[in-house]
């Protein structure tokens, strides 16, 4: 009898957790497991703001996929997914193709630019290891060049962060720690550096407790960030952006470094493959399968799960992706064993911590509000927990954050 | 009685050595000493190839001027020299002016581009701390960006060094050590990197012993450098250079990183101030004074001293500048004490060592040819000696090179 073939696309939080759970649940004789990923490494998306600011080396935010998978059970294919052919049950890759009996789509999200002109061309992103280290080096090059020019270009020392959501705020926390180091390194006067945060929404960190938001804003303002709230980026142009508050006349903020950290949408492969989606995200069934496709699961940033309490989708996070991975692994094991009863996914929100730099943060954990050192400690616990969930204690020892206090 | 005022312009090898010798020779009541320099630090020009390649941090190649001058005797002014008014005996600075009774011009050289179009706009230099760290960061940004682009731009991994003289060859030695690290850092295939050295002269390191030149060329070729000898850069353009061998048709070498390391001329302040000069260099008298100006000395890269043996000028080096500084300090002390007998400068060539990277070099020391580890050892001795001459044993301990073997 032919063994069923399970194909997992993507080795982010959701895909890799699914893989390591499946390799425990499933015997070698029960099914073949194939993991497809663009890179041979997994990276901690939630740590990219640090690599982007240059406060943590990018090699500290990634690890080799082969270090956590059981190669006797999982066949790892390094390739890029082009499209999924649902009817023929196969995945088209750049360098080949792979057929499947069960498919887990965990390809992660993509930056959502909301059609704002020029962002794709002129703005940097905090999206993956490549973009993080490019942004880090770009900022460093601006500082390195500043003193070289007879006519000083102060826009080299101006950084605009588009978006005051989670990524934007965490990046600002690291950036404000990094700037004094850069000033020292390149003999630049600290007072010449300008950091702006532009947010179209009426508040920083929408959805967060107002008291914690105030704490975050005043902390970052003290460290030199100027917030432009209720202000939309209208267009990115070479050397700056055009912004407008409400319906007011747009004006320009000059900057050689515009970082777009405002939105995530589902993976473009989803729409390309003909799945019904909203901004690339598929509203999955309670068992995380795609409606109409009994053998296809979608988890992570390309899946959409409604928070019944407020009747809005849960925001895409590492936490939800990993919890989905746990359920998908069990459900696929059940299907392989011909059980029709599948587990239902419910999100268990353990809390959220938003870093404000190395030793400061805000958060709600187990329903309690925390700030400062305590929150920063919890942030590192959260970060280490993700390593532990996928790679076990060994990975925590290798890549964990131990500067806990 | 009014004390005479000695003004030294520039805190490079020559100017700073003059200052530290003068502060020992001259009593507080004999004369005022003023040192003018653009930066508050001295940098080791002969180590800039390391800072530029990124193999040595730029803070290791500079030190605070105030660490070596005796502030009870020397008044340090951080300012940039605009022009010297010889008739009124004063120096125009960007932020003020200073008059003098005795003047030492030790302003260093400037890159000579021989009128080659586009070099000033598109080529990087190994000229000072600012340019060195900009070049380092530029190269790093090219590697960081390579994997970000869907259409890979291989020109980001192509580096052209214009000039196979001392600076060019030493930079290539460091660069070839640095490239494997950059490839590892940014996940770039080593074989995609191209390094060219373009030299118009018929040989690498003109004036060096042919056997040593062969050693250098074969070492660098083995490390991946392609030499284009007898080939002139005709023009630098965005994204590359046009070169031609002899009278042949020019062709383009594509590269995002063109480094011009081929020529040094005297400081532009020399010509601006109306001194008679050849390429910014003044042929000084045997006592190092400017013909016609009994109170003005010029030393270092802006001075021209003839090597009588071959009837050609000595090339500008740190060694000659420091030896000139010794003589100038004595001669000024003599003038202050109204002695008319001044010392004559003769260059005592102790040898030359050209580095080929961290652990390899070629050189002639005390008339003997050396290569490999022995030459590399001697190179570090030479480097430490410059620190010792100006800053004493303390500076050697602080900034010296101790990876001697």
């Amino acid at each position: 009898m032919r063994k069923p073939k399970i194909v997992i696309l993507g080795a982010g939080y959701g895909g890799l957790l699914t893989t390591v759970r499946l390799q425990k649940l499933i015997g070698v004789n029960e099914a073949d497991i194939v993991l497809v990923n663009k890179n041979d490494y997994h990276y901690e998306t939630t740590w990219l703001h640090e690599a982007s600011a240059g406060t943590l080396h990018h090699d500290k935010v990634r690890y080799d996929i082969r270090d956590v998978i059981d190669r006797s059970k999982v066949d790892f294919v390094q390739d890029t997914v082009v499209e999924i052919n649902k009817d023929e049950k196969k995945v088209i890759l750049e360098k080949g193709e792979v057929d499947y009996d069960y498919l887990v789509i965990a390809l992660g999200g993509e930056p959502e630019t909301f059609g704002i002109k020029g962002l794709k061309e002129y703005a940097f992103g905090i999206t993956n290891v490549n973009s993080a280290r490019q942004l880090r080096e770009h900022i460093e090059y601006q500082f390195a060049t500043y003193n070289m020019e007879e006519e000083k270009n102060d826009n080299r020392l101006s950084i605009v962060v588009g978006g005051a959501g989670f990524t934007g705020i965490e990046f600002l926390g690291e950036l404000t720690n990094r700037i004094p180091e850069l000033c020292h390194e390149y003999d630049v006067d600290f007072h010449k550096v300008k950091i702006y945060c532009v947010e179209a929404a009426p508040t920083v960190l929408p959805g967060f407790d107002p008291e914690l938001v105030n704490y975050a804003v005043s902390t970052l303002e003290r460290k030199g960030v100027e917030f432009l709230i209720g202000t939309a980026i209208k267009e990115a142009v070479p050397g700056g952006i055009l912004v407008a508050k409400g319906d007011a006349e747009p004006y320009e903020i000059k900057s050689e470094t515009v970082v777009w950290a405002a939105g995530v949408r589902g993976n473009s492969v989803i729409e390309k493959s003909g799945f019904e989606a909203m901004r690339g995200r598929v509203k999955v069934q309670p068992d995380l399968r795609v409606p109409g496709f009994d053998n296809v699961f979608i988890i992570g940033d390309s899946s959409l799960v409604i928070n019944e309490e407020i009747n809005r989708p849960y925001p895409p996070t590492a936490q939800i992706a990993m919890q989905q991975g746990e359920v998908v692994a069990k459900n696929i094991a059940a299907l392989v064993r011909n059980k029709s009863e599948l587990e239902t996914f419910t999100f268990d929100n353990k809390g959220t911590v938003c870093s404000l730099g190395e030793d400061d943060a805000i958060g709600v954990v187990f329903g309690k509000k925390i700030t400062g050192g305590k929150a920063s400690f919890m942030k590192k616990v959260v970060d280490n927990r993700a390593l532990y969930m996928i790679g076990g204690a060994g990975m925590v020892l290798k890549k964990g954050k131990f500067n806990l206090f």
Side-chain angles (χ1 to χ4, degrees), chain A residues 329-368:
Chain A
K330 285 187 213 160
N331 284 350
I332 287 182
L335 288 173
V336 165
R337 287 159 192 161
N338 291 314
K339 292 177 189 152
S340 58
E341 194 77 6
L342 296 194
E343 199 172 296
T344 287
F345 172 74
T346 37
F347 178 48
D348 172 21
N349 190 351
K350 298 196 190 304
T352 314
V353 188
C354 177
S355 162
L356 301 174
E358 204 209 331
D359 53 4
D360 205 352
I362 55 171
V364 179
V365 180
F366 301 118
K368 274 187 103 167

Side-chain angles (χ1 to χ4, degrees), chain A residues 379-392:
Chain A
K379 180 74 186 177
K380 282 155 195 159
V381 170
V382 169
D383 284 349
N384 289 340
R385 187 164 184 275
L387 291 173
Y388 180 77
M389 298 264 292
I390 294 174

Side-chain angles (χ1 to χ4, degrees), chain A residues 89-338:
Chain A
K89 292 188 182 175
K90 69 181 182 191
V91 181
I92 318 298
L93 307 172
E94 259 178 25
K95 289 176 282 192
E97 55 181 57
V98 56
D99 55 357
Y100 61 83
D101 296 297
Y102 302 104
L103 184 67
V104 182
I105 305 174
L107 287 165
E110 288 176 6
E112 170 67 270
T113 53
F114 303 109
I116 299 169
K117 234 175 104 181
L119 277 184
K120 273 189 185 140
E121 293 80 4
Y122 305 119
F124 291 85
I126 302 177
T127 315
N128 52 41
V129 168
N130 285 332
S131 76
R133 60 194 176 188
Q134 188 198 33
L135 173 52
R136 175 193 75 196
E137 290 305 319
H138 170 81
I139 293 172
E140 190 141 359
Y141 182 69
Q142 299 309 310
F143 276 75
T145 301
Y146 185 72
N147 277 325
M148 271 301 289
E149 292 168 325
E150 279 193 38
E151 289 267 322
K152 298 278 176 277
N153 175 4
D154 286 346
N155 306 336
R156 295 197 185 279
L157 309 180
S158 159
I159 300 172
V160 175
V161 177
F166 224 81
T167 309
I169 294 299
E170 291 202 315
F171 177 64
L172 286 166
E174 298 299 320
L175 189 64
T176 48
N177 282 0
R178 177 74 179 133
I179 293 296
E181 292 173 7
L182 285 171
C183 288
H184 179 77
E185 175 86 356
Y186 296 105
D187 308 314
V188 168
D189 178 3
F190 178 77
H191 299 96
K192 288 195 182 289
V193 179
K194 301 260 172 288
I195 303 173
Y196 303 95
C197 179
V198 183
E199 170 60 61
T203 174
V204 163
L205 288 173
F208 244 71
D209 177 274
E211 197 186 325
L212 296 177
V213 170
N214 280 346
Y215 182 94
V217 169
S218 62
T219 300
L220 292 174
E221 280 181 343
R222 210 169 50 238
K223 289 165 87 181
V225 178
E226 187 178 327
F227 284 94
L228 304 169
I229 302 304
T231 303
I233 295 185
K234 295 295 182 188
E235 186 179 344
V237 293
I241 48 163
L242 301 177
V243 301
K245 199 166 175 122
D247 294 330
E249 193 65 22
Y251 62 97
E252 189 175 4
I253 301 177
K254 295 261 187 195
S255 167
E256 295 293 336
T257 308
V258 174
V259 182
W260 182 244
V264 173
R265 47 164 289 133
N267 200 290
S268 52
V269 166
I270 299 286
E271 281 154 341
K272 204 172 168 193
S273 307
F275 290 104
E276 201 181 307
M278 287 175 280
R279 289 205 177 123
R281 301 177 76 192
V282 175
K283 195 175 166 198
V284 288
Q285 295 175 175
D287 57 18
L288 300 174
R289 284 191 285 189
V290 178
F293 295 90
D294 274 359
N295 58 340
V296 180
F297 295 80
I298 301 186
I299 61 175
D301 294 359
S302 298
S303 74
L304 199 148
V305 176
I306 297 293
N307 179 350
E308 304 288 352
E309 282 179 40
I310 54 171
N311 200 27
R312 290 190 56 184
Y314 285 111
T317 60
Q319 190 181 180
I320 198 169
M322 287 192 290
Q323 289 184 17
Q324 290 176 322
E326 301 265 14
V327 171
V328 164
K330 285 187 213 160
N331 284 350
I332 287 182
L335 288 173
V336 165
R337 287 159 192 161
N338 291 314

